Amino acid sequence: MSYLKERIIQDGIVINENILKVDSFLNHQIDPKVMREVSKQFVEYFGNKGVTKILTIEASGIAPAIWVASDLGVPMLFAKKTEPSTLKSEDLYATEVHSFTKNKTSRVIVSKKYLKSEDKVLIIDDFLANGEASLGLMDLVKQSGAEVVGVGICIEKSFQSGREKLEQAGADIYSICRIKSLANQTVEFVEDEE
Ligand code: G4P
């Protein structure tokens, strides 16, 4: 069993049938051991794909992304939800990301300087729900002419549509934990039945 799964079982709080609270170890207070272990698994899966850059979106994707970047010895780039006044619009790639969870659409950007057509990009994020964040990041990579080598996710909510959408978009997805259901105040994992 992965350490992340252990922490979810021990400390995850089911808020409702769609939302799992993990702020004691993943997206507010962060357990470095969770980061170390998930990074190890991402490196095992994606390590031989010639990754040149890790891409994520602020804020909660940054912690796992920097750990993977460090383990692979490549830079980590995070898409920003606010546009820095120092960047002119012609100097950035931009896309819209709609969050169903937060019922909010954000314009997210990265500087053209840090995504090049020769890059092989691994996308890392904390949650996969409806796939909007990852699809937005894939769009930014596409605009740059670079290649997405895969998408690494800490917690996938497999009962939502994200995996299906990303697969349709041709992504190789690797999730550390796959949650089948959050019904009845209980976390049920996909692999529990396998
Ligand atoms: P999607 O990208 O897969 O479509 O997911 P969605 O829009 O539904 O989720 C958007 C935000 O909500 C993301 O944070 C994501 O991490 C968070 N989120 C989604 N499902 C859960 C959940 O079950 N529990 C928790 N705790 N968070 C969830 P964000 O908008 O990028 O903001 P940030 O928290 O990274 O700053």
Side-chain angles (χ1 to χ4, degrees):
M1 183 191 294
S2 72
Y3 179 62
L4 175 60
K5 184 173 174 182
E6 274 178 45
R7 290 301 309 261
I8 293 171
I9 293 168
Q10 253 178 43
D11 301 307
I13 298 168
V14 180
I15 301 290
N16 57 43
E17 60 187 27
N18 286 313
I19 302 288
L20 177 69
K21 187 168 170 168
V22 289
D23 70 350
S24 61
F25 56 94
L26 190 69
N27 58 13
H28 189 25
Q29 173 171 266
I30 294 171
D31 179 350
K33 188 173 168 192
V34 168
M35 296 302 148
R36 191 181 311 123
E37 299 283 313
V38 298
S39 179
K40 203 168 140 197
Q41 285 179 261
F42 289 138
V43 169
E44 262 166 37
Y45 190 85
F46 293 112
N48 63 356
K49 308 257 185 207
V51 174
T52 62
K53 193 151 292 187
I54 306 298
L55 178 65
T56 190
I57 183 166
E58 64 178 344
S60 308
I62 292 176
I66 188 67
W67 214 292
V68 179
S70 172
D71 284 347
L72 288 178
V74 300
M76 184 276 280
L77 176 67
F78 65 93
K80 289 177 173 254
K81 292 175 183 164
T82 48
E83 231 162 280
S85 55
T86 49
L87 266 181
K88 293 194 224 105
S89 59
E90 62 267 29
D91 296 333
L92 45 86
Y93 299 116
T95 196
E96 302 244 302
V97 171
H98 178 71
S99 165
F100 291 96
T101 307
K102 296 186 176 169
N103 193 21
K104 190 177 150 194
T105 300
S106 315
R107 180 176 140 91
V108 303
I109 64 103
V110 293
S111 167
K112 287 183 179 173
K113 217 160 73 179
Y114 303 122
L115 264 188
K116 296 293 181 197
S117 58
E118 58 272 22
D119 272 321
K120 290 174 135 250
V121 180
L122 172 59
I123 292 171
I124 296 286
D125 211 352
D126 58 337
F127 269 97
L128 176 61
N130 295 295
E132 295 293 317
S134 296
L135 286 169
L137 294 174
M138 285 173 76
D139 182 39
L140 295 173
V141 175
K142 194 173 163 201
Q143 290 178 45
S144 74
E147 180 193 342
V148 175
V149 303
V151 179
I153 299 290
C154 297
I155 302 178
E156 171 188 323
K157 293 188 291 180
S158 305
F159 55 90
Q160 294 180 318
S161 61
R163 172 173 281 268
E164 204 185 318
K165 285 194 215 157
L166 294 185
E167 278 174 352
Q168 273 168 12
D172 180 10
I173 311 156
Y174 176 72
S175 303
I176 308 293
C177 283
R178 298 184 67 194
I179 292 177
K180 186 180 174 191
S181 160
L182 293 172
N184 307 315
Q185 298 284 302
T186 306
V187 184
E188 193 185 335
F189 293 90
V190 169
E191 65 269 26
D192 288 348
E193 279 189 355
E194 287 168 356

